[in-house]
C-alpha cells in the first residue's frame, strides 16, 4: 500500500501540467473536431453529426490536397538533404569550429518569418535584386517573370525558413555517432561513401526522420508564404482553410480540412518512420 500514496503524490504534482495541457490544447482540438461534423445554415453553426464537410473537403479540394502534400514533401526533402550536408560538415569536418556553425544556424532563427518572406519577394520579383543583376550583366533583355509567383518560389522560401529546424535534430543525431566507429571503418578499408551509407546514416535515421517531420508538417500547414509568393500555381491548402474560417464563415469545412490535413500528414510521417526507423537492419 505504500506505493499508492507515492503514485498519488506524483499524480497530484503532475496535475497542474496536465490541466494546462488539457485546457490549452486538447479541449480546443476536441471542440474543433466536433465543429467539423456540424453544418452551417444562414451563416449560423448548427450542431449535429454530418460528413458533408469532409465530403466537400476531399471532393472539392482533393487536387489541392495532393499539390500541398507534394510541395511540403519537396520542402522537407530539400531541407533534410541540405541540412544533413551542413550538419555533417559541422560535426566531422569543422573541428573545433563546428559549434560556431551551429550557433550561426540558431542565430538565423532570430529573423522574423515575414521579414524572410519579404526578402525573397525583393529578390525574386520583376524589379528585384536577381532580375536587376541579370539586366546589369546583360544576360537578359527583360525581367524574368517566372522567378516568383509559382511553386518553386514557395519551396525555396519555405526551405530557407525551415532549414535551421532540420539542421538542429540532424546535428544532434550526428553528435551521437562515435568517432571511433568512423576510424574503425577507415581501418577496415571502407571508402568515404561506404562509411557514410553503412555507418553514419544508420545511426542518425531518427534525426533525419525528425527533421523531415518538422519541415513537412510546418510546410503543409503554411499559408503566408504561398499567399505572398505562390501566385496561381503555388496555392496551398492553408490559404483555403483560412478563408473558410474568416471570409466564408464555414467553420465545419475549415475544421474538416484542418483535421484531414493533420490526418494525412500523420499518415505520411508514420509511413516514413516505419520505413526508415522501424525497419530492422
Amino acid at each position: 500500500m505504500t506505493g499508492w500514496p507515492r503514485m498519488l503524490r506524483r499524480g497530484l504534482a503532475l496535475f497542474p501540467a496536465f490541466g494546462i495541457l488539457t485546457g490549452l490544447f486538447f479541449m480546443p482540438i476536441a471542440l474543433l473536431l466536433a465543429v467539423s461534423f456540424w453544418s452551417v445554415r444562414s451563416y449560423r453553426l448548427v450542431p449535429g453529426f454530418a460528413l458533408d464537410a469532409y465530403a466537400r473537403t476531399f471532393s472539392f479540394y482533393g487536387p489541392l490536397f495532393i499539390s500541398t502534400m507534394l510541395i511540403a514533401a519537396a520542402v522537407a526533402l530539400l531541407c533534410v538533404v541540405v541540412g544533413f550536408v551542413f550538419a555533417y560538415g559541422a560535426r566531422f569536418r569543422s573541428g573545433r569550429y563546428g559549434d560556431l556553425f551551429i550557433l550561426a544556424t540558431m542565430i538565423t532563427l532570430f529573423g522574423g518569418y515575414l521579414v524572410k518572406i519579404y526578402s525573397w519577394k525583393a529578390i525574386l520579383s520583376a524589379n528585384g535584386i536577381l532580375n536587376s543583376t541579370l539586366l546589369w550583366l546583360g544576360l537578359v533583355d527583360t525581367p524574368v517573370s517566372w522567378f516568383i509567383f509559382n511553386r518553386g518560389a514557395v519551396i525555396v522560401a519555405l526551405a530557407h525558413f525551415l532549414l535551421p529546424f532540420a539542421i538542429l535534430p540532424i546535428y544532434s543525431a550526428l553528435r551521437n555517432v562515435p568517432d571511433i566507429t568512423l576510424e574503425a571503418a577507415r581501418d577496415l578499408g571502407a571508402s568515404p561513401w561506404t562509411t557514410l551509407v553503412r555507418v553514419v546514416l544508420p545511426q542518425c535515421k531518427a534525426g533525419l526522420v525528425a527533421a523531415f517531420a518538422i519541415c513537412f508538417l510546418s510546410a503543409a500547414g503554411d499559408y503566408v508564404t504561398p499567399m505572398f509568393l505562390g501566385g496561381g500555381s503555388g496555392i496551398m491548402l492553408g490559404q483555403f482553410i483560412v478563408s473558410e474560417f474568416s471570409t466564408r464563415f464555414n467553420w465545419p469545412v475549415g475544421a474538416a480540412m484542418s483535421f484531414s490535413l493533420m490526418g494525412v500528414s500523420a499518415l505520411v510521417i508514420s509511413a516514413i518512420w516505419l520505413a526508415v526507423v522501424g525497419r530492422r537492419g
Side-chain angles (χ1 to χ4, degrees), residues 67 124 140 158 249 269:
S67 176
L124 301 176
V140 295
L158 282 174
F249 196 73
I269 299 302

Side-chain angles (χ1 to χ4, degrees), residues 34 79-80 87 108 139 147 235 258 261 267 272 275:
C79 289
V80 168
T108 61
L139 299 177
F147 284 154
I235 296 175
S258 301
L261 183 61
L267 289 176
I272 293 176

Side-chain angles (χ1 to χ4, degrees), residues 33-52:
L33 178 62
V35 169
S36 68
F37 296 102
W38 293 2
S39 58
V40 175
R41 295 177 184 173
S42 301
Y43 295 99
R44 300 182 66 178
L45 290 173
V46 179
F49 183 84
L51 298 176
D52 297 342

Side-chain angles (χ1 to χ4, degrees), residues 28-77:
I29 292 295
L31 178 60
L32 193 63
L33 178 62
V35 169
S36 68
F37 296 102
W38 293 2
S39 58
V40 175
R41 295 177 184 173
S42 301
Y43 295 99
R44 300 182 66 178
L45 290 173
V46 179
F49 183 84
L51 298 176
D52 297 342
Y54 287 93
R56 174 178 172 81
T57 295
F58 288 103
S59 62
F60 191 78
Y61 294 106
L64 187 59
F65 236 108
I66 298 175
S67 176
T68 300
M69 292 294 103
L70 291 177
I71 292 176
V75 171
L77 286 174

Side-chain angles (χ1 to χ4, degrees), residues 3-278:
W4 285 103
R6 185 181 305 169
M7 294 178 60
L8 181 60
R9 287 196 299 269
R10 291 180 179 178
L12 291 175
L14 294 174
F15 180 78
F18 281 110
I20 294 174
L21 184 63
T22 301
L24 297 181
F25 182 75
F26 289 114
M27 288 184 63
I29 292 295
L31 178 60
L32 193 63
L33 178 62
V35 169
S36 68
F37 296 102
W38 293 2
S39 58
V40 175
R41 295 177 184 173
S42 301
Y43 295 99
R44 300 182 66 178
L45 290 173
V46 179
F49 183 84
L51 298 176
D52 297 342
Y54 287 93
R56 174 178 172 81
T57 295
F58 288 103
S59 62
F60 191 78
Y61 294 106
L64 187 59
F65 236 108
I66 298 175
S67 176
T68 300
M69 292 294 103
L70 291 177
I71 292 176
V75 171
L77 286 174
L78 181 60
C79 289
V80 168
V81 172
V82 177
F84 178 80
V85 173
F86 183 91
Y88 183 89
R91 171 66 177 89
F92 297 111
R93 294 289 184 266
S94 300
R96 61 180 180 177
Y97 299 105
D99 292 338
L100 292 178
F101 284 101
I102 300 303
L103 178 61
T105 301
M106 297 180 65
I107 291 176
T108 61
L109 296 174
F110 297 159
Y113 180 33
L114 288 176
V115 172
K116 295 179 180 180
I117 293 176
Y118 277 110
S119 297
W120 277 107
K121 192 171 184 179
I123 293 172
L124 301 176
S125 62
N127 57 348
I129 299 173
L130 183 57
N131 269 308
S132 298
T133 303
L134 294 177
L135 290 171
W136 181 72
L137 294 174
L139 299 177
V140 295
D141 297 327
T142 58
V144 180
S145 59
W146 52 264
F147 284 154
I148 197 172
F149 301 132
N150 52 55
R151 296 177 182 176
V154 174
I155 292 173
V156 170
L158 282 174
H160 171 238
F161 170 68
L162 295 173
L163 183 58
F165 296 98
I167 292 175
L168 294 178
I170 295 175
Y171 181 77
S172 177
L174 290 175
R175 292 278 294 183
N176 295 324
V177 178
D179 293 332
I180 193 172
T181 58
L182 304 183
E183 297 174 2
R186 286 193 293 265
D187 292 341
L188 292 173
S191 64
W193 176 255
T194 303
T195 303
L196 174 66
V197 174
R198 304 193 63 177
V199 178
V200 177
L201 288 179
Q203 298 186 70
C204 66
K205 291 188 294 186
L208 293 173
V209 175
F212 182 91
I214 293 172
C215 297
F216 180 85
L217 295 175
S218 300
D222 187 79
Y223 72 93
V224 179
T225 304
M227 181 173 64
F228 283 96
L229 301 175
S233 62
I235 296 175
M236 296 180 67
L237 193 65
Q239 296 169 261
F240 288 89
I241 294 177
V242 173
S243 66
E244 293 290 351
F245 277 107
S246 57
T247 57
R248 299 182 182 181
F249 196 73
N250 198 335
W251 287 23
V253 173
M257 293 169 64
S258 301
F259 276 96
S260 299
L261 183 61
M262 291 170 56
V264 173
S265 299
L267 289 176
V268 172
I269 299 302
S270 300
I272 293 176
W273 178 270
L274 292 175
V276 177
V277 180

